[in-house]
Amino acid sequence: MTANTVFFITGVSGTGKSTIGERVASELGLVFEEGDSYHPAANVEKMSAGIPLEDADRWDWLTHLNKIAKDHLANDKSAIISCSALKASYRAILCEGMGEGMGEELTGRQAEEKTSPLAKGVQSNVRFIYLHGSTDTISQRLKQRQHFFVGDDMLKSQFSTLEVPTKDEAFIVDVTQSVDEVVATCKAFICSVTEAT
C-alpha cells in the first residue's frame, strides 16, 4: 500500500460494520477501530434504554472519531473505523481536515447547517464504504442476535435518520451477499484506492 487512508465503514446497525471492518483490517494488516466503543457513557445509557440519540448527542462522539482518524494518519498508518455515519453532516465531521476541500473546521452545529461537499469524493486521506441493506433484511438479522443498542424502534429511527450516500460519496456494498463476498468486495476497493493514490 502506497498511501495512508482512513476508511469509514458505515451503515445502520445490523449491516455488519464491525464484523466486516475487523476481518478486512485483519486480512489487509490495517488498524481497526470500533466506533461504538468511543460513545460517552451518557450515549450508551440512552441507547441501552432504547432511546434514539439526537444530533446533539453525536457531535462530540463524531469529533472524537475524526481525531482518532487524524491520529492514525499522523502516525503514518491506514485504518478502518466503523461508524453508522447516518447523515451527510455526520460524515462531514468525520472527514473534516483530511484532504482536499476538507480543511475548514466545522463544529457539529455548523456541519448540520452546511453539509460539506463530499460528492466529488476527492478527499486524499479518507473514504466511506456504505453497507446497504433493506429494512426487512436488517430487521431479520437483528432478530438473530443480541445487541444492547438496537431494538425495533431504534432501527426505525436509524432508517428515518439515514441519508443514503450517493455513489460519488461512498463505495456502496450490498450486504445481502455473504460475509465472505462483502469482505472481498471491500478489500478490492481499499486496495484499488491505496494503490491508485
Side-chain angles (χ1 to χ4, degrees):
M1 293 186 175
T2 58
N4 292 312
T5 306
V6 171
F7 296 89
F8 286 102
I9 293 193
T10 70
V12 299
S13 293
T15 51
K17 297 184 296 293
S18 300
T19 299
I20 301 302
E22 275 191 296
R23 272 197 53 183
V24 172
S26 174
E27 292 179 21
L28 292 179
L30 303 180
V31 176
F32 175 71
E33 298 279 8
E34 168 56 73
D36 280 347
S37 68
Y38 291 97
H39 271 295
N43 285 5
V44 174
E45 187 174 332
K46 286 185 73 169
M47 292 186 287
S48 298
I51 302 170
L53 297 181
E54 298 177 1
D55 284 354
D57 299 316
R58 299 178 186 273
W59 301 138
D60 288 346
W61 171 61
L62 293 165
T63 300
H64 186 56
L65 293 182
N66 171 260
K67 181 182 182 302
I68 289 169
K70 288 177 178 175
D71 287 346
H72 283 305
L73 293 176
N75 289 320
D76 202 29
K77 293 180 180 178
S78 289
I80 294 174
I81 301 176
S82 63
C83 175
S84 53
L86 300 176
K87 288 186 178 182
S89 58
Y90 302 169
R91 297 188 287 271
I93 293 172
L94 289 172
C95 66
E96 67 187 33
M98 293 189 290
E100 296 177 50
M102 305 310 297
E104 181 181 4
E105 297 292 325
L106 302 177
T107 65
R109 293 186 185 279
Q110 288 171 332
E112 184 176 30
E113 294 166 0
K114 177 185 176 183
T115 299
S116 186
L118 301 179
K120 291 184 179 179
V122 295
Q123 294 80 5
S124 60
N125 296 111
V126 61
R127 293 290 188 280
F128 289 93
I129 297 172
Y130 170 63
L131 302 182
H132 170 72
S134 69
T135 305
D136 288 343
T137 297
I138 304 307
S139 179
Q140 287 301 315
R141 286 189 175 197
L142 288 173
K143 287 174 182 175
Q144 296 173 10
R145 73 182 194 188
Q146 295 290 328
H147 195 301
F148 75 105
F149 283 172
V150 181
D152 285 340
D153 289 341
M154 287 282 287
L155 184 61
K156 289 177 184 176
S157 172
Q158 289 212 339
F159 270 102
S160 66
T161 300
L162 177 64
E163 295 173 1
V164 178
T166 68
K167 291 181 180 179
D168 290 330
E169 294 171 332
F171 180 68
I172 300 174
V173 182
D174 182 357
V175 298
T176 59
Q177 305 175 88
S178 70
V179 171
D180 287 345
E181 289 173 317
V182 173
V183 167
T185 301
C186 291
K187 284 172 60 179
F189 170 69
I190 289 173
C191 289
S192 72
V193 168
T194 54
E195 289 171 2
T197 53

